[in-house]
């Protein structure tokens, strides 16, 4: 799946505005997640794992 850099940047900026936090550290050619960004990443991974578990559970009924 190809998504342009500008699309990703726009979506991240919109999410940051919605949440009221900075998710990405954009300073001095360093690119990384802020504390809030890391917390969001962890929680998002947990949600994806939970969705996978639910899907598996529903198939097993």
């Amino acid at each position: 799946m190809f998504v342009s850099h500008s699309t990703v940047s726009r979506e991240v900026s919109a999410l940051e505005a919605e949440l009221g936090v900075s998710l990405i550290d954009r300073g001095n050619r360093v690119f990384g997640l802020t504390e809030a960004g890391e917390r969001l990443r962890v929680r998002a991974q947990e949600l994806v794992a939970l969705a996978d578990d639910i899907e598996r559970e529903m198939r097993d009924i």
Side-chain angles (χ1 to χ4, degrees):
M1 177 173 94
F2 175 78
V3 181
S4 71
H5 177 270
S6 62
T7 299
V8 171
S9 181
R10 195 171 37 251
E11 291 297 320
V12 169
S13 292
L15 184 57
E16 288 176 325
E18 182 178 335
L19 297 174
V21 296
S22 178
L23 300 172
I24 297 175
D25 181 4
R26 297 174 177 87
N28 289 343
R29 300 180 56 99
V30 175
F31 181 85
L33 296 177
T34 62
E35 181 181 348
E38 180 60 23
R39 286 184 186 190
L40 179 62
R41 182 193 65 77
V42 168
R43 298 296 284 172
Q45 285 180 322
E46 291 171 354
L47 285 171
V48 169
L50 180 58
D52 290 345
D53 290 347
I54 291 169
E55 186 177 348
R56 225 177 348 270
E57 186 176 325
M58 293 300 107
R59 280 198 217 119
D60 291 343
I61 293 178

